[in-house]
Amino acid sequence: MSQEILSAAESIPSSCLHRIFRAAEKREEETGVEVVKLHVGDPYFNPSDNVADAFVDAVRRGETKYTGVEGLPELRAALVEKLRSDNDVDSAVSRLLISPGSCQGLAALLQSLAEPGAEILLPELHWPVHLQQSLLAGFRPVLYSLGADLRPDPEVIAAAATPRTQVLLINSPANPTGVVLDRGELGALLELARSRGWHVISDEAYEHFLYEREHISVASLERDVPVAERIVHSVFSFSKSFAMTGYRLGYIALANDRAADVMKVVQEANIIGTSTPVQYAGIAALESRSDATATNRKLVQRNRDVALSPLIRAGLLRELPAGGWYAMVDVARTGLDAETFATRLLESKGVAVVPGDGFAMRPDVDDRGRVRSHDYAPWARHLVRIAFCVDPTALETGVRGLLEFVDECGDGGPNSAG
């Protein structure tokens, strides 16, 4: 008689992002009407023409063979220079690895840092993939509370930590909150991590999308620390800054040579290597990065300023996000929880948003790393996330539909009773 064995991966719930993605696709198939997609962070603008040209040229030249697991040396060298000039980060080719998307890079980095029973500190409101990746790597996630302004407090983090804590993950600008941490806040978090002997993972996917201030890379704060003693591992993406979401290209600047050597082994087992033509496209993107990133930031900021302001006037959004591509909207006045609101908004107005409670999942993990059960932070049950990187017309249409639906619920409209 065979015995069913539940693996750790099988016990991890699918994220709210993928559920609403599938629901939107199903509605389009059933109705033949295009959904207004405010649920996914995919930009309406495209990469610079030279990016596609470089990709095609690489294919035609026959640059389609394996590269080393670390990536093309010329791309890595260009990124070391980019980090020096743009981020004030002191890296080196030996400590920089290319990955097929920053998401895969994050997953591999977590695998390279994980030890049996180790814990990782994540904010209670987090990107669901960070939680999934941590569990898959074998970490026990410890979720710490955020303040009323959704900002991390070092004292709260210190109190949540245990002797098994090994990693602090920082995401600024943050997904889904749009919170941007300043130099003082980042410095306090780094000082706490160093005093406790933790690694720091800095997810900087939205580094070019700040609307009131300059981006600060956490690793820039330890430039004067000897390389062997550094603790910040930085993860970056071509997807957002260069609108290269489907190309799948990212990179990781490891804190020190030991960590880089470990991650190379992890990547040998995971990917063999990143797509070679895509890496040539990345080199081209870097060559025109100043113009491209500035233009893309202005496009998203225009969306934020124009389309999100009505949500503030309606009392659904406290302030415009300081960075990133997303806003968390409070729909408590409808009397609906986030899951119900998102479902009925899609049915009634054809607008897709993501239930915010899915960004506040709290898993109960057993000694073998399996999720026994999970719930959600109760304060997130009325939040929904919208992406404002989408086509301006679609964004304004979607926000208008959302506001109409909220008003209808307030007037006793479509199934407004929770």
Side-chain angles (χ1 to χ4, degrees):
M1 177 185 246
S2 63
Q3 180 180 5
E4 182 179 358
I5 299 175
L6 179 66
S7 70
E10 191 177 359
S11 73
I12 299 172
S14 177
S15 82
C16 54
L17 303 171
H18 294 287
R19 289 198 303 274
I20 193 67
F21 191 91
R22 288 190 286 267
E25 284 189 329
K26 181 179 179 182
R27 178 180 169 82
E28 287 185 332
E29 291 172 1
E30 292 177 346
T31 66
V33 178
E34 186 174 358
V35 166
V36 180
K37 300 178 178 69
L38 306 188
H39 61 299
V40 60
D42 217 348
Y44 74 96
F45 42 89
N46 294 313
S48 303
D49 290 343
N50 67 323
V51 172
D53 292 341
F55 179 89
V56 173
D57 289 345
V59 173
R60 288 177 172 161
R61 290 196 311 270
E63 301 283 4
T64 56
K65 307 299 183 184
Y66 290 132
T67 66
V69 70
E70 304 92 340
L72 282 171
E74 51 265 56
L75 175 56
R76 294 159 66 208
L79 287 167
V80 168
E81 173 57 25
K82 176 264 180 187
L83 289 172
R84 184 196 65 77
S85 62
D86 296 8
N87 300 82
D88 198 29
V89 169
D90 170 37
S91 187
V93 170
S94 63
R95 302 195 300 275
L96 195 138
L97 275 67
I98 309 299
S99 62
S102 66
C103 189
Q104 191 283 324
L106 272 166
L109 177 58
L110 285 163
Q111 289 178 52
S112 70
L113 297 176
E115 295 179 4
E119 296 175 348
I120 182 170
L121 288 159
L122 301 173
E124 197 169 30
L125 194 61
H126 50 264
W127 186 38
V129 176
H130 283 153
L131 179 61
Q132 289 178 319
Q133 291 175 333
S134 298
L135 290 165
L136 286 169
F139 279 105
R140 306 294 192 273
V142 174
L143 304 175
Y144 60 84
S145 300
L146 296 170
D149 56 0
L150 301 179
R151 309 183 82 81
D153 182 332
E155 292 185 3
V156 172
I157 294 174
T162 78
R164 295 187 297 276
T165 299
Q166 186 170 305
V167 174
L168 171 65
L169 191 146
I170 298 174
N171 181 207
S172 175
N175 176 6
T177 65
V179 165
V180 175
L181 303 183
D182 62 30
R183 185 179 297 272
E185 291 171 309
L186 293 171
L189 294 175
L190 179 58
E191 182 179 353
L192 170 63
R194 186 171 294 283
S195 69
R196 298 293 185 91
W198 303 338
H199 294 275
V200 172
I201 294 177
S202 179
D203 181 351
E204 302 181 32
Y206 298 93
E207 60 171 323
H208 289 108
F209 294 92
L210 286 83
Y211 311 116
E212 276 93 32
R213 60 179 69 149
E214 295 298 315
H215 175 65
I216 305 296
S217 288
V218 186
S220 69
L221 305 182
E222 57 174 10
R223 280 188 64 96
D224 298 329
V225 175
V227 171
E229 299 174 17
R230 294 179 187 174
I231 62 173
V232 179
H233 312 283
S234 307
V235 183
F236 298 89
S237 176
F238 282 76
S239 292
K240 317 303 181 185
S241 302
F242 303 104
M244 294 172 62
T245 51
Y247 282 78
R248 309 312 304 136
L249 187 63
Y251 56 104
I252 307 90
L254 283 303
N256 51 63
D257 291 299
R258 179 183 177 185
D261 289 342
V262 173
M263 187 165 169
K264 288 173 191 175
V265 174
V266 173
Q267 290 296 64
E268 287 173 4
N270 275 334
I271 64 168
I272 305 299
T274 300
S275 165
T276 303
V278 166
Q279 293 186 68
Y280 281 103
I283 293 172
L286 291 173
E287 291 171 351
S288 58
R289 71 179 180 275
S290 294
D291 291 340
T293 56
T295 297
N296 294 343
R297 179 188 60 78
K298 289 177 182 176
L299 292 173
V300 179
Q301 182 167 1
R302 184 266 179 198
N303 275 3
R304 182 197 76 145
D305 296 346
V306 173
L308 299 191
S309 294
L311 295 171
I312 294 178
R313 293 194 293 271
L316 303 178
L317 184 65
R318 187 174 62 178
E319 60 186 3
L320 294 176
W325 284 5
Y326 311 102
M328 295 298 282
V329 178
D330 189 339
V331 297
R333 69 189 241 199
T334 66
L336 303 176
D337 62 79
E339 193 76 38
T340 304
F341 180 92
T343 299
R344 295 183 183 172
L345 177 65
L346 182 61
E347 293 171 348
S348 174
K349 302 294 182 180
V351 177
V353 298
V354 187
D357 54 359
F359 296 89
M361 181 190 294
R362 303 184 299 190
D364 175 29
V365 182
D366 68 17
D367 292 338
R368 298 174 65 182
R370 298 176 300 191
V371 178
R372 288 181 292 216
S373 62
H374 67 276
D375 63 3
Y376 304 96
W379 52 263
R381 68 186 300 266
H382 295 298
L383 299 177
V384 298
R385 191 195 77 170
I386 65 172
F388 56 89
C389 58
V390 302
D391 175 78
T393 300
L395 178 61
E396 292 179 37
T397 299
V399 169
R400 185 164 56 250
L402 186 151
L403 290 169
E404 290 173 356
F405 182 73
V406 168
D407 288 341
E408 290 168 7
C409 289
D411 296 334
N415 303 310
S416 58

